Amino acid sequence: MTQISQDRSRRAALAGAVCALLVTGTALAGCSEDPNEGTNGVGRLSADEIQDRTRKAAESVDTVRLHGTVVTNGRSYTLDMRLKSEGGIGSVTTKGETFRLLRIGDELFLKAGADFWGHTGGGDAGEGATDAAAGKLAEKYVKVPQGDPSYKKFSGFTDKDVLLGGLLTLHGKLATDGHREQAGVRTIRITGDKGSGGTLDVSLEGKPYPLRLVRAGEAGTLTFSAWGTDFPLEKPAGSETLDYGKQLPTS
């Protein structure tokens, strides 16, 4: 349990003890704890207003860390990405393969092991590399050509505005669904169509950032953290970089 949670539990226990001593057959006003007391106040708003506030909060800062799963077109991706306005860096895992992505401006780099590059057939960008080529590509930052079919899909994982714009949407009629806690931070939960359209936990402390999203249709669960916390984003050294050409061998 975090220190914040421990302090909150102690306050709740103390309040309960005081009420128990004061009450003499009739409940006293003020003995019930207001879950929105000491918060940023969004818990008192309607679900539509909360969603509007959290979108504006997410757009107001340049950086965020995103971690979890996204299911799209029947394929599951596990993401651990740090994003900022000029690019992003992190890892993506799908079908047992993990690779790293790095984007700075329009330049996108992909780093993976020999097994990833050695896959043949059925890829988004043609045939797989030979064993020799796969060995050379392994553990290098390979520049992804902008004309390659993989560029648009993979660059989307590194684009804060594109990624959050597509994710932070609940479907159906919105409603609030009580107070929760995420990583020691108090939250208010909003839902779409009683949860079938997704759920979103919004911070009640500081700015109303989104902290946890369960996507509609079992399309993944994501957590958000490090809002506004900057991180370095540097182009890899020339010795760590390869330019394969106009099209990657596989993806």
Side-chain angles (χ1 to χ4, degrees), residues 68-154:
T69 58
V70 172
V71 180
T72 178
N73 296 324
R75 190 166 182 174
S76 178
Y77 299 88
T78 299
L79 311 180
D80 187 357
M81 301 296 302
R82 300 198 69 176
L83 310 172
K84 62 196 314 183
S85 56
E86 60 265 38
I89 187 170
S91 65
V92 179
T93 301
T94 183
K95 292 188 175 181
E97 296 285 352
T98 298
F99 53 92
R100 290 187 63 78
L101 291 174
L102 167 64
R103 183 179 63 82
I104 302 175
D106 292 331
E107 292 187 298
L108 176 66
F109 300 90
L110 188 156
K111 184 178 182 180
D115 288 344
F116 175 90
W117 294 112
H119 286 167
T120 57
D124 297 318
E127 295 300 319
T130 64
D131 289 344
K136 291 181 179 179
L137 294 170
E139 304 308 328
K140 295 282 188 178
Y141 279 100
V142 178
K143 188 174 182 180
V144 181
Q146 292 189 35
D148 189 275
S150 300
Y151 183 89
K152 183 177 180 179
K153 177 167 66 177
F154 289 151

Side-chain angles (χ1 to χ4, degrees), residues 13-73:
L14 179 59
V18 171
C19 286
L21 290 173
L22 293 177
V23 173
T24 56
T26 302
L28 296 180
C31 281
S32 59
E33 186 179 1
D34 180 359
N36 293 302
E37 183 178 356
T39 71
N40 56 24
V42 296
R44 297 186 175 96
L45 303 178
S46 70
D48 290 281
E49 290 174 314
I50 294 171
Q51 179 171 254
D52 183 60
R53 292 283 185 91
T54 196
R55 282 177 175 169
K56 289 179 179 178
E59 293 170 356
S60 71
V61 294
D62 285 339
T63 59
V64 66
R65 182 178 181 183
L66 179 153
H67 181 271
T69 58
V70 172
V71 180
T72 178
N73 296 324

Side-chain angles (χ1 to χ4, degrees), residues 4 32 45 47 53 60 75 83 173 186 196 202 204 210 236 248:
I4 293 175
S32 59
L45 303 178
R53 292 283 185 91
S60 71
R75 190 166 182 174
L83 310 172
K173 184 178 180 180
R186 286 179 289 176
S196 63
V202 178
L204 288 173
L248 298 183

